[in-house]
Amino acid sequence: MTKEKHINADGGKAAILEFVARIRAHADLNAFISVCTDEQVQTYLENFDPTLPLAGYVFSVKDNILSADYPTTAGSGLLKDFHPNIDAKIIQQFKQAGAFLIGKNNLSEFCQSMTCNNASFGAVKNPANPKWIAGGSSGGSAAAVAAGLVSFAIGSDTGGSVPIPAALCGCVGYRPTTGRYSTDGFIPVSPSIDSPGLMTQSVADLFILDHILTQTDAKNSVAIENLRLGIPQTPFYKGLDAQLEKCVHTQLDFIKQCGATLIDIDLTESAALNPHVGFPIAFYEMLREMAVFFARHGVNISVLDVINNVSGPTEKDALQAQLDIAAIPREQYVKAIQEKWPALIKSLDNVYNEHKIDALIVPTTPLAAINHRQLGKDNMFDDKNFTDPVFVTYIRNTEMFSNYGAPYVTLPIGKTPEGRPVGLGFVGKPQNDAHLLSLCLALEQAFEKQK
């Protein structure tokens, strides 16, 4: 997040106004639901403190995160007048460090789809090509960063909602170890799994932001030639789009040329456990926790009101399913929490320990960004190579690691011949965020030299 890349050197009025102008100039991307007023800019500048570490930086947040300065809609017209008048803790931390919250990002309605084809506020467009989806559910945040409209953005992640849109739009996305950053002030999907996530232009940016949030210094020196990196062919490299697959293997060959040791890993056992963890926990928790959240914050809307009045057909189906065909009995939820989840964690811990690997490498998504499709037809592919729903397909290479609670960084590694961005995911062992960020920084620098 160097000032040369993101803001004018004075970090003052000209810089902030430049970002506001960029957002207005790129309104066609539909990355924002709310944007600052001239009065908010003026208030920030009147209280400007150049000694603060993020003075002059601007950021945006996904609009399911409470903010004092803007409504919090969760991407739904139902909440367009919800003004909580409080900031989520992560917003407080960045504001206290001197950053300016310039607006709230568009998202999939109640985080329930993968396309950000929002029926209430319009579809988010991919900066690489507006005909392509930005990904979800933090698509507006990724689009804002990739288009250079903000210095950084905050998303929320339950099964891949930060790395997936970051990969599809072509920026860096980071989901930390679960619990590393506070979810206080986030409209919940699954409190057991939910995590904030950061989207930036570079891994170097992440160190600055992580220090603000944790008050620790995560940066260490890592030599690529000393790295042991796991390649889980089964199931994460199966059934990839051919163009994306070629781009991924080109970069894997380059990483190997840089001296890293690549080790074939079989995650079949972990993959078999995962379906008994993620969806059973999330589907049991979401509607219950949403009801509690609304009651706590004085929102006079019931869960049935939400389901009956959600604007998007894909999102309505997803929420309705949690009451009927996908409803999770308490016994299944308890078994997931007490048995299946610990078994999944143990299984993955064993992989890291047995093979002594620094990180796993997976394609962040099985395919790059697809074309936008009309509402109601956007959760299935028109590609015979992909027969599962869009949501299930895109989370395939991220969801298990969210359930593991692991830190996950996606790096932009190139584009398909059509120009669609491709992301490569690096997964560390939980609590090893510092090492993961450092090895990703070393690889990012190597990729830059390669260009």
Side-chain angles (χ1 to χ4, degrees), residues 101-176:
L101 178 58
I102 203 167
K104 305 287 289 291
N105 293 126
N106 200 353
L107 66 153
S108 302
E109 192 171 10
F110 288 106
C111 303
Q112 293 299 295
S113 82
M114 194 48 61
T115 63
C116 269
N117 191 13
N118 189 298
S120 297
F121 298 102
V124 179
K125 308 296 177 63
N126 193 314
N129 188 320
K131 295 180 180 179
W132 303 334
I133 66 169
S137 59
S138 306
S141 301
V145 172
L149 309 185
V150 291
S151 307
F152 64 94
I154 306 170
S156 67
D157 188 290
T158 305
S161 292
V162 167
I164 291 168
L168 299 188
C169 290
C171 65
V172 174
Y174 168 47
R175 177 204 162 95

Side-chain angles (χ1 to χ4, degrees), residues 426-444:
F426 297 83
V427 189
K429 194 175 180 181
Q431 309 304 331
N432 282 12
D433 297 66
H435 185 57
L436 180 70
L437 290 174
S438 294
L439 74 84
C440 285
L441 177 63
L443 290 168
E444 178 181 73

Side-chain angles (χ1 to χ4, degrees), residues 189-361:
V189 174
S190 174
S192 294
I193 304 171
D194 291 345
S195 175
L198 301 174
M199 298 181 186
T200 63
Q201 296 285 347
S202 71
V203 179
D205 297 354
L206 292 176
F207 285 100
I208 300 170
L209 302 178
D210 185 76
H211 176 72
I212 297 297
L213 298 178
T214 66
Q215 293 301 299
T216 61
D217 186 1
K219 188 176 293 186
N220 296 296
S221 178
V222 170
I224 296 177
E225 58 269 24
N226 294 332
L227 293 177
R228 291 172 57 83
L229 302 170
I231 310 297
Q233 298 287 349
T234 304
F236 297 96
Y237 284 78
K238 305 301 182 183
L240 301 178
D241 171 78
Q243 293 183 348
L244 177 141
E245 184 175 24
K246 184 177 181 180
C247 187
V248 166
H249 281 288
T250 296
Q251 294 305 328
L252 289 181
D253 289 343
F254 175 72
I255 292 170
K256 191 172 182 179
Q257 291 168 14
C258 289
T261 301
L262 304 188
I263 304 159
D264 284 337
I265 302 289
D266 188 341
L267 293 185
T268 303
E269 176 187 338
S270 303
L273 285 165
N274 189 61
H276 302 286
V277 177
F279 283 113
I281 292 176
F283 281 8
Y284 184 87
E285 291 182 347
M286 181 177 179
L287 297 181
R288 290 169 172 81
E289 293 296 331
M290 185 186 293
V292 171
F293 183 91
F294 285 165
R296 182 180 298 133
H297 293 280
V299 181
N300 190 26
I301 297 175
S302 71
V303 166
L304 285 177
D305 290 333
V306 170
I307 294 173
N308 291 334
N309 294 286
V310 162
S311 299
T314 297
E315 292 82 356
K316 182 184 287 288
D317 289 347
L319 289 168
Q320 182 64 50
Q322 295 177 41
L323 282 184
D324 41 53
I325 61 172
I328 303 299
R330 176 170 173 76
E331 295 77 14
Q332 185 180 353
Y333 172 73
V334 171
K335 187 172 185 178
I337 290 286
Q338 295 183 351
E339 298 178 23
K340 300 297 184 179
W341 198 10
L344 174 66
I345 292 170
K346 182 179 179 181
S347 170
L348 287 164
D349 280 347
N350 289 342
V351 167
Y352 282 84
N353 296 336
E354 177 185 347
H355 296 282
K356 296 181 172 58
I357 54 175
D358 295 278
L360 293 168
I361 306 179

Side-chain angles (χ1 to χ4, degrees), residues 68-103:
D69 301 322
Y70 307 93
T72 299
T73 69
S76 175
L78 284 169
L79 297 180
K80 62 183 176 61
D81 296 320
F82 175 37
H83 292 265
N85 296 318
I86 56 172
D87 283 327
K89 183 175 180 180
I90 195 169
I91 295 177
Q92 293 175 17
Q93 289 174 291
F94 284 135
K95 280 186 172 181
Q96 288 166 2
F100 176 58
L101 178 58
I102 203 167

